Amino acid sequence: MTTAHPVDEVPPARQLAAFGLQHVLAMYAGAVAVPLIVGGAMKLPPADLAYLITADLLVCGIATLIQCIGFWRFGVRLPIMQGCTFAAVSPMVLIGTTGGGLPAIYGSVIVAGLAIMLLAPVFGRLLRFFPPLVTGTVILIIGLSLLPVAGNWAAGGAGSGDFGEPKNLALAAFVLAVVLGVQRFAPVFLSRIAVLVGIVVGLAVAVPFGFTDFDGVGEADWLGISTPFHFGAPTFEFSAIASMLVVALVTMTETTGDLIAVGEMTERKVEPRSLADGLRADGLSTVLGGVFNTFPYTAYAQNVGLVGMTRVRSRWVVATAGGILVLLGLLPKLGAVVAAIPAPVLGGAGLVMFGTVAASGLRTLAGVDFKGNDNLTVVAVSVAVGMLPVGVPAIYEKFPDWFQTVMNSGISAGCLTAIVLNLLFNHLPARAGSGAPDAGGLPGGGVEKGVEQPREEAV
């Protein structure tokens, strides 16, 4: 009798619920941030903002179910959470405030989703340009670029009046200590929901100290139904579509990195076909986003870290999380309860999760040979380029919008750099008279051990 791969195992119901809720809490703040930022920039009334959030949560859940469970050629069938991409925020704010409002945003989102579905097989064939040298570098950049998000949460949330107050950092440090303590000393099941335990304990401590505000719970509706084209029929404007197509390429690059990372963590290697299926699911979810009054969707790196940290590899756990998100989208009052979790509590948990993503990248790079070749240069320059927009957010503000969309995402900037440098140093003919050893990679190149070996061997 053959045993199921850990990705396909279905844990008991109580574990499914606990693990699934943990994934929801890990990504919730990021998921609702995009509608809040876009709606806020467009000065939408509170009722419309609330509608955007519930629509977002509903489609997040549906998109996650499509990605994890899959049907036909849609869905990678790995534990991948889906959420609104931050790469689209600036273009959407620009379109919404100067170029036609929400209908123009939704028209461009629908076109971008269709483009992603059409381009998915092309990206699938590009998988051979992601050897361990590139994937390890990209996963490292994903983790490092997320750490400032956790830092902002720990300090109280970007833009909050008490940002950086010692009490916020103390609460985040307390949650971090709880997560680490549970992971180290608790029984196996509890150690696997260490993040959930840390958030619950942190919330319990935060309430008496006045960190939480439950006013939004009382004001939220019990039932919220998202209807297609609630804000009017979509309009299709060339400039809006062009900028959203650039976003589509960026999100496809980021999603490719996330899918490969999860494939390595779960020991189910992502193949060209499964990568195309995952990207096709992204495209379908993005089309649904345009229809149901929300935004483009992508794989969420926050939850990649959670998979690596907890070592719970079942896709049904994340599918359960998708079901919880659908519920939150249909029951706004439940969503308001989750939204009341203070930012420092999420920050303490985020430090562990995002650090885990970076550490997974280092683990992949440990299988790459750095002797007698230029691999160190590939990693060094790619990480540097990927970290530039993270460390200096305004560095590209004088450049054209399309350039900013690509390069302001540290993940896409670092990923493109790693691919180009790997081709330059390892796939082009070696220098005449160079003493670099040729380990027999692609014809004509000095490809080293660990660059072209199968990814699962390099992990």
Side-chain angles (χ1 to χ4, degrees):
M1 177 180 171
T2 57
T3 55
H5 190 282
V7 167
D8 299 317
E9 286 179 354
V10 183
R14 69 186 181 90
Q15 292 186 17
L16 272 177
F19 292 148
L21 180 58
Q22 185 169 239
H23 273 282
V24 170
L25 296 179
M27 60 81 71
Y28 189 89
V32 300
V34 175
L36 280 174
I37 294 167
V38 175
M42 293 178 64
K43 297 181 170 54
L44 296 181
D48 285 350
L49 264 181
Y51 192 94
L52 280 183
I53 290 170
T54 52
D56 173 37
L57 292 173
L58 177 68
V59 181
C60 270
I62 294 170
T64 300
L65 289 168
I66 293 171
Q67 195 68 276
C68 294
I69 298 173
F71 67 92
W72 189 51
R73 297 297 303 280
F74 292 86
V76 73
R77 295 168 177 83
L78 285 172
I80 291 282
M81 284 293 284
Q82 298 284 104
C84 277
T85 174
F86 282 86
V89 168
S90 297
M92 288 193 301
V93 167
L94 200 64
I95 296 165
T97 53
T98 64
L102 286 171
I105 291 176
Y106 296 139
S108 63
V109 167
I110 290 169
V111 173
L114 294 171
I116 291 171
M117 283 195 277
L118 289 173
L119 289 172
V122 178
F123 260 72
R125 287 195 287 273
L126 296 178
L127 195 59
R128 63 196 180 92
F129 296 115
F130 285 84
L133 175 65
V134 174
T135 57
T137 304
V138 171
I139 296 166
L140 175 61
I141 292 169
I142 290 171
L144 292 176
S145 63
L146 285 171
L147 285 173
V149 176
N152 278 322
W153 287 346
S160 64
D162 61 350
F163 186 85
E165 288 281 344
K167 63 174 186 176
N168 291 336
L169 293 167
L171 179 58
F174 171 72
V175 172
L176 175 59
V178 171
V179 171
L180 295 175
V182 170
Q183 192 171 3
R184 173 64 182 84
F185 298 109
V188 173
F189 171 65
L190 276 180
S191 72
R192 288 182 171 174
I193 54 168
V195 169
L196 177 59
V197 173
I199 290 173
V200 170
V201 172
L203 183 59
V205 170
V207 171
F209 284 97
F211 281 91
T212 48
D213 178 9
F214 288 104
D215 291 347
V217 178
E219 296 167 7
D221 296 328
W222 279 105
L223 191 64
I225 304 295
S226 299
T227 51
F229 308 125
H230 173 80
F231 295 99
T235 58
F236 300 93
E237 298 179 10
F238 177 77
S239 59
I241 290 169
S243 63
M244 205 56 69
L245 287 175
V246 176
V247 170
L249 293 174
V250 172
T251 57
M252 291 179 83
T253 306
E254 293 182 354
T255 297
T256 299
D258 289 334
L259 296 186
I260 291 170
V262 172
E264 294 190 349
M265 288 175 179
T266 57
E267 295 176 8
R268 175 173 279 181
K269 182 181 173 185
V270 173
E271 304 287 350
R273 175 171 172 146
S274 54
L275 174 60
D277 291 349
L279 292 170
R280 204 176 281 111
D282 259 17
L284 176 59
S285 304
T286 298
V287 171
L288 288 176
V291 171
F292 284 95
N293 321 292
T294 178
F295 308 117
Y297 284 84
T298 187
Y300 256 31
Q302 290 96 312
N303 300 83
V304 174
L306 194 54
V307 170
M309 181 192 152
T310 60
R311 298 187 290 280
V312 176
R313 296 181 278 177
S314 171
R315 61 192 171 107
W316 297 102
V317 163
V318 180
T320 303
I324 294 172
L325 283 172
V326 170
L327 269 180
L328 293 176
L330 295 173
L331 303 171
K333 209 171 270 294
L334 269 181
V337 172
V338 177
I341 296 172
V345 171
L346 295 172
L351 286 170
V352 192
M353 294 187 299
F354 304 161
T356 301
V357 179
S360 298
L362 292 175
R363 185 180 64 179
T364 302
L365 288 172
V368 176
D369 184 8
F370 288 97
K371 294 175 184 174
N373 53 46
D374 296 299
N375 287 343
L376 203 60
T377 303
V378 175
V379 176
V381 176
S382 302
V383 172
V385 172
M387 289 298 99
L388 272 181
V390 177
V392 191
I395 190 168
Y396 298 122
E397 65 179 14
K398 305 290 186 190
F399 285 74
D401 289 341
W402 67 267
F403 186 89
Q404 290 187 52
T405 302
V406 175
M407 298 303 289
N408 272 341
S409 163
I411 298 169
S412 66
C415 183
L416 291 172
T417 306
I419 292 170
V420 170
L421 291 182
N422 179 52
L423 291 173
L424 176 67
F425 284 110
N426 293 319
H427 291 178
L428 290 181
R431 289 184 293 267
S434 76
D438 188 347
L442 289 183
V447 182
E448 69 299 324
K449 175 189 166 192
V451 170
E452 290 299 322
Q453 75 186 86
R455 265 187 297 277
E456 69 271 19
E457 290 175 22
V459 175

